[in-house]
Amino acid sequence: MAGHKQDHDFYIPNSSIWPPVTCLGAGLFMFGMVSLLKFSSFAGKSLIVLGLLVLVFGMVQWFRVLIAESRARGFVNPPRVLDLANRYGMVFFIVSELMFFAGFFAAYFYIYGFNLEWPPSNIETLAAHLPAINTLILLTSGVTITWSHHALIKGNRAEARKFMFATWLLGVVFLLFQAYEYAHAAFSIDSGAYGSTFYMLTGFHGFHVFVGTVMLMVAHARLNRGDFTKENHFYFEAAAWYWHFVDVVWVGLFLFVYIIPS
Amino acid sequence: MSHTAVANNAHTSPKKKGFLYYLTTVNHKDIGAMYLVTALAFFFIGGLMAMFIRAELMAEGYQLVGQTITLMDLGFWQWKVSFGPDFFNQMTAMHATFMIFFAIIPALLGLGNYVVPIMIGSPDMAFPRLNNWSFWILPFAGMLMLGSFLVPGGANAAGWTVYPPLTNAQYSPGAGIDMWILAVHLAGASSILGAINFIVTILNMRAPGMTLFKMPMFSWSMLITAWLQLVATPVLAGAVTMLLTDRNFGTSFFNMAGGGDPVLFQHIFWFYSHPAVYIMILPAFGIISQVIETFSRKPLFGYATMVWAMAGIAILGCLVWAHHMFTVGMDPRAQIVFMFMTMFIAVPTGIKIFNWLATMWQGTLDFTVPMKYAIAFVGMFTIGGLSGVMLAIPPIDYAMHDTYFVVAHIHYVLFAGSFLGIMAGIYYWFPKITGRMYNEKWGNIHFWLTFIFSNLTFFPMHFLGLMGMPRRIPNYHPMYTDLNLIASIGSFALGAVQIILVINFFYSKKHGKPAGDNPWGAKTLEWSVSSPPPEHNFEKMPVVK
């Protein structure tokens, strides 16, 4: 928009190849899934790997462009409308994720109420120690991320980095514990409705913890690069919101899947 | 990017735009136009499937199912198609799938994408790159859906509602259902991210002075629709994910033997798919409101009540899903609750119908093609709405469930509602999008033929349903023959006359009379800029007083 003075604060990006590249990745992934499930396992796996590579590559490039644009603005406070757009966008994204889990929780409650005994007597349920520790881990990580955020606001970057590191480390530990639990469970995803709902809920939650952990790692890397300022650190906040969302879903899971039925 | 140059001579495009341009564009107008063209293509694909259904039902006995038909015979080479026993089932399932997910919703989103940012005085959507993503994922979803016809076992043959147990691994072993599910995942992701984009655009990017309650009704309708998409679509993703794992990974969500329940699927599926009906009709309400307002030369009657009525429809629409499942053996108390909730929807809908009539009352009516479509919409949609109230009453639903009465009802809602609404919108904004007028005479011919033949097609279905003809069955008792023949003749004519639309638009796009900025004398902002609008819509940010 050279030579033309803009009389509004909206940011209009140039054409970009990265959205269609990520579409291609998602499309290849889906065709790979079809092949894996019904036709050739080898072709399916190859297509899935290729699709994921293209998808992740496209997303990384897309986000690199976003970060570069943010850096190009020079970490001044962005215009209010831009900042608001990002915030609204992230909030509504989390709303959609919440509704995704709501669907699975609804299925869980329906099946819970529908079955005469829950958990079914032939299921050897998991002890609640590990999930209790995991609850503590996630709740602690909610504290550490807030600590990191406040440190950043106060301008204490070293402390912000330290607590950000602690947060994603807790995320990793959570995932390891969950993997351990999966490996030692006496039932699997095809052990009737109990196994189905258990693995579907905890599995999708675990995937979201993984995504949140990656977001936090990126936030850590950006902190190291000196990307955020005291007032302007939207990405940090978005990652934190997402992390709290993952946390809240886990508390629901812990209560309704582990504690109340047993 | 010489933005000013483009604005100054909007009729001469600066350079030829190739595939790469459209692949990478982030301009909401290009993306909106691509949505519309894609929707048109899928509309014809879905239409051909409807033609197959009507050809099969033209007479009693089997017309096409189980037959081999020679399409071309050159002596040394013949082109034959043979239709297997479940091809009819594939057609009914995929006709609905293509029309809902790939024709109606993209057409409405396309109009919204094109018009809403200009209407509210914004240079583009809030997340232009995400907007590009939401469009370009659709071709992949479409390829999965179309590709499912080529795999062994063919496409989904279990209805667009994919109810288990018919869709579980035992009864639908082919890849068709899996491809259907994965395609719905992609289309759903597009829908969710598109919804976020619309909500943020409308909440955040309005021009100075454009308060929410000054927004044109079409923007309101897109805002409310986007909310429904945001809240309901993820639940559909969950439902079909559970179906996918039931089919392939041994889960038991919908399997009685493992402690699950097939009825659970219906609950979760309809939690999305009933709001989906409103996703397909609310934008049409918005379009009709703009058109009636403009061609009655009066402000919309009861603007605020129109907004609240739409919000009321959206909220109630999320609480009525079980009226699709009265016959599964639900608790009668639940049936009564769902019956009353469903009937309540008639109240805000009635408010809208009467407000449209009151807007036209004593107005200086201008019977252009979009206005004719809008008036036809009001009348025919009312028929669909009233048959919906009938079906909401459980004892009546027990008798009518899965008969042609339901088919008549949904076609009066989705064809006479959504399709006529889309037509009103396309004729209304055609001059803005292309800068040229469509041919009025052929537009009128298209309208009258569509109006007559759609009633000829769908009205007899009411009687067929009342006589007890079941839906989704390729053969029937001889007593249904006459009405079916009428419906089939109507549908072939209805399909054929849509060619007029295509020819009119592609001809007028090049050779029509120049439209000027505001051929209709409309009041909303999109008519204050050139036709087609400059690259970023406004030379100067508009200020609304």
Side-chain angles (χ1 to χ4, degrees):
Chain A
M1 267 151 278
H4 182 69
K5 217 170 130 252
Q6 208 172 280
D7 63 348
H8 58 76
D9 290 334
F10 303 118
Y11 177 67
I12 311 293
N14 288 323
S15 295
S16 170
I17 189 71
W18 304 120
V21 166
T22 55
C23 287
L24 177 69
L28 288 174
F29 176 83
M30 289 303 188
F31 277 98
M33 281 289 284
V34 174
S35 179
L36 177 70
L37 296 175
K38 287 281 153 30
F39 302 105
S40 147
S41 163
F42 173 73
K45 282 175 190 156
S46 323
L47 267 178
I48 285 177
V49 170
L50 180 68
L52 279 178
L53 283 177
V54 173
L55 180 69
V56 170
F57 175 71
M59 282 172 69
V60 167
Q61 292 297 327
W62 189 345
F63 289 126
R64 276 165 64 105
V65 172
L66 287 178
I67 294 171
E69 283 166 357
S70 163
R71 292 173 77 88
R73 271 196 296 273
F75 301 112
V76 291
N77 286 343
R80 192 175 142 72
V81 282
L82 272 191
D83 195 42
L84 265 181
N86 288 337
R87 283 161 195 280
Y88 277 140
M90 191 65 199
V91 167
F92 296 137
F93 178 67
I94 291 175
V95 168
S96 76
E97 291 270 44
L98 212 56
M99 287 310 293
F100 182 71
F101 277 100
F104 288 110
F105 268 103
Y108 175 75
F109 289 130
Y110 184 99
I111 290 174
Y112 187 170
F114 178 76
N115 280 273
L116 294 175
E117 49 171 14
W118 195 265
S121 51
N122 59 345
I123 293 282
E124 194 188 320
T125 52
L126 291 159
H129 318 309
L130 209 52
I133 296 171
N134 260 351
T135 309
L136 278 179
I137 288 174
L138 274 196
L139 290 177
T140 313
S141 74
V143 174
T144 53
I145 186 119
T146 310
W147 200 312
S148 168
H149 189 196
H150 279 263
L152 178 66
I153 291 171
K154 289 202 189 91
N156 188 346
R157 300 186 75 91
E159 193 165 315
R161 287 213 298 270
K162 206 159 63 194
F163 278 95
M164 179 56 90
F165 173 68
T167 311
W168 68 253
L169 200 64
L170 286 168
V172 172
V173 173
F174 175 93
L175 286 172
L176 289 175
F177 278 177
Q178 204 178 13
Y180 178 88
E181 190 185 55
Y182 276 14
H184 290 78
F187 58 93
S188 66
I189 194 164
D190 52 7
S191 311
Y194 186 85
S196 310
T197 50
F198 176 84
Y199 281 102
M200 196 67 117
L201 277 167
T202 55
F204 268 114
H205 177 264
F207 175 71
H208 282 76
V209 173
F210 170 73
V211 172
T213 307
V214 172
M215 284 174 76
L216 293 173
M217 285 172 172
V218 174
H220 190 193
R222 292 190 67 185
L223 267 176
N224 285 343
R225 239 167 57 156
D227 263 12
F228 303 122
T229 66
K230 283 182 196 175
E231 296 90 15
N232 173 23
H233 44 262
F234 167 71
Y235 177 76
F236 187 112
E237 287 172 280
W241 293 345
Y242 195 80
W243 195 248
H244 288 311
F245 150 71
V246 166
D247 204 351
V248 167
V249 172
W250 174 259
V251 172
L253 271 178
F254 181 62
L255 279 179
F256 294 114
V257 176
Y258 288 97
I259 297 299
I260 292 180
S262 52
Chain B
M1 277 220 286
S2 57
H3 165 156
T4 34
V6 179
N8 288 341
N9 43 59
H11 290 293
T12 52
S13 70
K15 61 171 189 270
K16 188 122 171 57
K17 293 168 176 174
F19 176 71
L20 198 63
Y21 173 85
Y22 282 105
L23 184 69
T24 59
T25 183
V26 295
N27 188 304
H28 74 99
K29 292 185 289 295
D30 294 328
I31 294 170
M34 290 194 293
Y35 264 114
L36 287 173
V37 172
T38 310
L40 184 73
F42 281 117
F43 170 67
F44 276 94
I45 292 171
L48 284 175
M49 295 178 181
M51 298 298 101
F52 181 94
I53 297 168
R54 287 316 317 171
E56 173 57 51
L57 293 174
M58 206 152 123
E60 56 159 317
Y62 295 105
Q63 318 306 314
L64 296 169
V65 168
Q67 311 274 337
T68 301
I69 290 171
T70 310
L71 289 176
M72 204 186 280
D73 191 350
L74 298 175
F76 58 93
W77 178 78
Q78 290 173 323
W79 183 18
K80 286 180 180 172
V81 283
S82 47
F83 301 111
D86 66 345
F87 194 73
F88 181 84
N89 300 344
Q90 294 181 27
M91 288 292 110
T92 52
M94 298 307 275
H95 163 66
T97 302
F98 277 111
M99 287 305 194
I100 290 168
F101 292 113
F102 295 92
I104 295 178
I105 293 180
L108 292 167
L109 289 182
L111 282 173
N113 234 307
Y114 199 103
V115 177
V116 165
I118 323 181
M119 234 176 196
I120 61 172
S122 160
D124 207 304
M125 295 285 278
F127 305 112
R129 283 174 285 223
L130 194 63
N131 203 16
N132 173 301
W133 193 92
S134 291
F135 172 77
W136 278 109
I137 199 69
L138 281 182
F140 293 99
M143 279 193 284
L144 270 170
M145 283 288 183
L146 285 173
S148 71
F149 281 104
L150 306 175
V151 298
N156 167 17
W160 82 280
T161 50
V162 291
Y163 283 0
L166 186 54
T167 48
N168 68 19
Q170 190 184 350
Y171 299 111
S172 298
I177 302 277
D178 299 304
M179 293 176 82
W180 190 94
I181 289 170
L182 296 173
V184 164
H185 270 302
L186 292 183
S190 153
S191 196
I192 293 167
L193 295 176
I196 294 175
N197 217 337
F198 270 107
I199 299 175
V200 178
T201 305
I202 296 173
L203 288 186
N204 192 43
M205 296 186 76
R206 300 187 311 277
M210 176 68 81
T211 57
L212 275 177
F213 275 85
K214 278 186 186 162
M215 278 199 316
M217 198 51 66
F218 183 53
S219 304
W220 261 114
S221 72
M222 288 309 296
L223 177 62
I224 294 170
T225 302
W227 269 108
L228 280 177
Q229 284 180 300
L230 182 73
V231 172
T233 316
V235 180
L236 174 73
V240 295
T241 303
M242 287 185 259
L243 188 61
L244 187 77
T245 57
D246 265 18
R247 287 172 55 77
N248 297 295
F249 303 109
T251 58
S252 303
F253 291 102
F254 312 127
N255 177 6
M256 289 298 265
D261 183 5
V263 175
L264 169 63
F265 178 83
Q266 300 187 20
H267 277 292
I268 305 180
F269 177 81
W270 285 112
F271 184 84
Y272 163 77
S273 291
H274 194 77
V277 177
Y278 298 100
I279 291 168
M280 289 184 276
I281 200 67
L282 291 182
F285 283 179
I287 294 167
I288 298 304
S289 302
Q290 297 308 135
V291 170
I292 290 182
E293 179 178 49
T294 298
F295 296 114
S296 303
R297 311 286 165 214
K298 273 172 70 190
L300 197 62
F301 183 88
Y303 172 91
T305 56
M306 289 292 248
V307 172
W308 292 117
M310 231 166 357
I313 293 172
I315 292 166
L316 285 171
C318 291
L319 304 172
V320 297
W321 72 89
H323 68 212
H324 293 270
M325 344 168 2
F326 283 149
T327 53
V328 298
M330 207 190 303
D331 186 336
R333 285 163 298 183
Q335 296 189 16
I336 287 178
V337 170
F338 280 107
M339 174 183 84
F340 276 117
M341 295 303 264
T342 308
M343 287 176 151
F344 275 140
I345 296 183
V347 176
T349 313
I351 291 175
K352 297 196 76 71
I353 303 264
F354 284 111
N355 278 355
W356 287 321
L357 295 178
T359 308
M360 286 187 270
W361 185 256
Q362 294 196 333
T364 313
L365 300 192
D366 196 350
F367 289 101
T368 56
V369 178
M371 184 63 164
K372 288 196 178 102
Y373 270 108
I375 295 170
F377 171 98
V378 174
M380 285 173 72
F381 180 77
T382 305
I383 298 175
L386 291 176
S387 57
V389 176
M390 288 171 69
L391 289 169
I393 304 164
I396 294 186
D397 186 72
Y398 299 158
M400 313 273 211
H401 191 82
D402 265 356
T403 67
Y404 255 78
F405 193 83
V406 178
V407 178
H409 162 68
I410 73 113
H411 284 96
Y412 266 85
V413 175
L414 293 186
F415 190 90
S418 308
F419 180 79
L420 294 191
I422 291 166
M423 283 300 118
I426 286 184
Y427 277 101
Y428 181 60
W429 283 301
F430 181 83
K432 179 52 60 186
I433 295 174
T434 61
R436 290 177 185 276
M437 296 302 288
Y438 56 84
N439 183 307
E440 186 78 16
K441 187 175 140 206
W442 283 102
N444 272 310
I445 292 173
H446 175 236
F447 164 74
W448 282 112
L449 293 178
T450 302
F451 177 71
I452 292 166
F453 290 129
S454 63
N455 281 299
L456 195 65
T457 308
F458 300 121
F459 207 77
M461 292 180 184
H462 289 110
F463 305 123
L464 286 169
L466 291 170
M467 290 159 73
M469 178 174 158
R471 64 195 283 209
R472 294 173 174 165
I473 307 284
N475 196 359
Y476 50 77
H477 189 275
M479 72 171 176
Y480 303 125
T481 309
D482 298 345
L483 288 169
N484 266 307
L485 183 64
I486 294 173
S488 289
I489 292 170
S491 75
F492 298 142
L494 180 61
V497 300
Q498 302 313 315
I499 303 293
I500 300 173
L501 168 87
V502 179
I503 294 173
N504 191 356
F505 281 179
F506 282 93
Y507 179 81
S508 304
K509 188 172 169 289
K510 283 236 166 62
H511 307 289
K513 279 186 300 191
D517 293 355
N518 190 358
W520 306 130
K523 298 275 200 292
T524 42
L525 275 178
E526 78 271 24
W527 301 101
S528 69
V529 294
S530 63
S531 307
E535 191 183 358
H536 295 306
N537 301 342
F538 297 98
E539 280 296 280
K540 262 186 66 143
M541 192 77 170
V543 175
V544 181
K545 283 188 270 312

